[in-house]
């Protein structure tokens, strides 16, 4: 499958991020823990350059616990700070602030020498569509002011948010990049970072079943009570029959079955799954 999706507003977002860099001390990059590699936008890395970054590994409630630990270690080995988060639960803002303050210790030391009393840390929150960025912001800010959606691209304007701690957040819309390889495109599509509406969801689902058969066959068997040793298309058919995704005369409704399978994966009903290994 050849997958690319780069709406016009994303070019504008890239320019806004570039202009706003001088306003912030730290970048909080929210990524999807199920696809830690593909949910890191290489354009953002180019834009922020030497600006200090904290990786927020969101959706760790949906990803493989063992892989979560391996990815944290991988990021740390690369000299990056990474924190595991489930943005739907209470977030330890003190931990985020502590990590950020340690990164900025030289700045705070200079302020202390100049007798400047300012404990605030300004952070820009960036991430790809559907990484859970808005949910993270709402949670950390203890408010419901930022629009949230389970469809990519809901946040479309830059917003400053005050929190109850000494953290000031600058929100930005989710942004992808113009071209990516097929493997990355599949990962982004599996997790709905790219809209289902522009994809061949039946073909995409077959690719997903191939992945599950290879990496998490026991999850398929437990959820759907099927034989995971079969060919992917046969597994597809068997799930459709068991879940009643049938059109008249016994014909399989592959689109309906694909939606059922992806809903199970994206909601966690299929188990805790990491698409990309560390």
């Amino acid at each position: 499958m050849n997958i690319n999706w780069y709406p016009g507003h994303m070019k504008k977002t890239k320019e806004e991020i570039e202009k706003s860099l001088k306003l912030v001390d730290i970048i909080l990059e929210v990524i999807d823990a199920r696809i830690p590699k593909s949910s890191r936008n290489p354009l953002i890395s180019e834009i922020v350059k030497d600006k200090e970054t904290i990786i927020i590994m969101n959706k760790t409630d949906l990803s493989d616990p063992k892989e979560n630990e391996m990815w944290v270690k991988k990021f740390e080995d690369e000299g990056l700070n990474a924190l595991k988060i489930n943005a739907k639960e209470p977030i330890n803002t003190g931990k985020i602030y502590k990590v950020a303050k340690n990164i900025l210790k030289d700045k705070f030391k200079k302020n202390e020498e100049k007798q400047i009393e300012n404990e605030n840390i300004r952070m820009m929150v960036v991430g790809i569509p559907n990484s859970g960025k808005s949910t993270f912001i709402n949670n950390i800010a203890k408010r419901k002011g930022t629009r949230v959606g389970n469809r990519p691209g809901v946040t479309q304007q830059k917003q400053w948010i005050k929190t109850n701690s000494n953290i000031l957040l600058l929100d930005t819309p989710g942004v992808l990049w113009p071209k990516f390889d097929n493997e990355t495109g599949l990962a982004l599509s599996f997790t709905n970072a790219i809209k289902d509406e522009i994809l061949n969801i039946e073909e995409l689902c077959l690719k997903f079943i191939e992945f599950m058969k290879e990496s998490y066959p026991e999850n398929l068997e437990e959820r759907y009570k099927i034989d995971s040793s079969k060919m992917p298309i046969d597994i597809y058919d068997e799930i459709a029959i068991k879940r009643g995704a049938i059109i008249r005369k016994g014909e399989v409704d592959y689109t309906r079955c694909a939606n059922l399978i992806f809903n199970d994966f994206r909601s966690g009903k299929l188990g805790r799954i990491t698409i990309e290994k560390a």
Side-chain angles (χ1 to χ4, degrees):
M1 294 180 69
N2 185 17
I3 303 167
N4 278 290
W5 184 59
Y6 191 67
H9 74 266
M10 292 188 178
K11 180 178 183 295
K12 183 179 178 183
T13 298
K14 174 179 174 288
E15 294 169 351
E16 288 179 355
I17 292 172
E18 289 175 324
K19 292 176 183 176
S20 301
L21 273 179
K22 60 180 179 293
L23 302 176
V24 300
D25 306 302
I26 295 275
I27 302 295
L28 291 184
E29 185 175 2
V30 180
I31 68 171
D32 187 330
R34 297 168 298 177
I35 51 168
K37 178 176 176 287
S38 293
S39 58
R40 293 201 70 201
N41 187 338
L43 278 182
I44 290 177
S45 299
E46 288 178 21
I47 294 167
V48 302
K49 296 179 182 176
D50 297 328
K51 184 73 74 171
E52 296 289 354
T53 300
I54 299 175
I55 304 295
I56 301 295
M57 287 183 60
N58 190 27
K59 304 192 179 186
T60 50
D61 57 316
L62 300 175
S63 55
D64 189 324
K66 292 181 181 178
E67 287 297 325
N68 289 343
E69 298 302 326
M70 293 180 71
W71 273 104
V72 168
K73 184 178 185 304
K74 180 177 176 61
F75 285 132
E76 289 176 347
D77 289 346
E78 294 173 358
L80 294 166
N81 292 280
L83 298 175
K84 293 177 295 179
I85 296 288
N86 171 12
K88 294 180 180 178
E89 295 181 352
I91 293 174
N92 186 345
T93 55
K95 186 175 182 179
I96 296 174
Y97 183 82
K98 183 178 179 180
V99 171
K101 190 168 184 179
N102 183 59
I103 291 172
L104 300 171
K105 57 181 179 291
D106 290 342
K107 176 183 176 179
F108 277 95
K109 184 178 180 181
K110 289 179 181 177
N111 285 347
E112 187 177 340
E113 290 171 352
K114 296 177 181 178
Q115 297 184 331
I116 298 174
E117 295 184 9
N118 184 1
E119 293 292 307
N120 289 334
I121 298 179
R122 297 166 297 173
M123 304 181 182
M124 181 191 294
V125 187
V126 299
I128 67 168
N130 213 39
S131 61
K133 182 169 61 65
S134 293
T135 302
F136 167 78
I137 288 173
N138 287 346
N139 193 325
I140 197 173
K142 299 291 188 293
R143 63 174 232 167
K144 297 180 180 179
T146 303
R147 291 179 61 209
V148 177
N150 58 6
R151 292 165 60 87
V154 168
T155 306
Q156 293 190 0
Q157 282 190 331
K158 184 170 62 178
Q159 302 177 62
W160 275 104
I161 297 103
K162 292 183 179 180
T163 70
N164 294 331
S165 62
N166 289 317
I167 296 175
L168 297 175
L169 298 176
L170 178 59
D171 189 16
T172 59
V175 59
L176 285 175
W177 54 107
K179 293 183 180 179
F180 31 79
D181 59 40
N182 193 52
E183 186 177 333
T184 300
L186 284 175
L188 293 170
S189 300
F190 288 164
T191 56
N192 203 30
I194 297 176
K195 294 179 179 180
D196 288 339
E197 291 92 329
I198 71 163
L199 302 168
N200 182 332
I201 196 169
E202 296 177 4
E203 184 180 348
L204 184 69
C205 188
L206 189 59
K207 293 285 187 183
F208 180 70
I209 290 172
E210 289 175 2
F211 163 78
M212 290 295 294
K213 174 182 165 63
E214 179 70 26
S215 301
Y216 294 93
E218 65 282 358
N219 294 58
L220 283 175
E221 292 174 356
E222 183 177 344
R223 178 65 180 168
Y224 302 116
K225 312 303 179 191
I226 54 95
D227 181 0
S228 66
S229 67
K230 293 182 178 180
M231 295 292 289
I233 187 62
D234 294 326
I235 293 174
Y236 204 164
D237 287 342
E238 191 172 349
I239 294 173
I241 292 168
K242 285 183 176 289
R243 289 306 169 98
I246 303 296
I247 311 175
R248 61 187 178 279
K249 296 183 180 180
E251 183 182 346
V252 170
D253 186 340
Y254 288 109
T255 298
R256 183 180 170 196
C257 185
N259 284 319
L260 286 169
I261 292 171
F262 279 126
N263 285 339
D264 282 350
F265 163 59
R266 293 164 183 170
S267 66
K269 292 178 182 176
L270 197 48
R272 297 179 67 175
I273 295 164
T274 297
I275 304 294
E276 297 173 329
K277 310 302 180 184

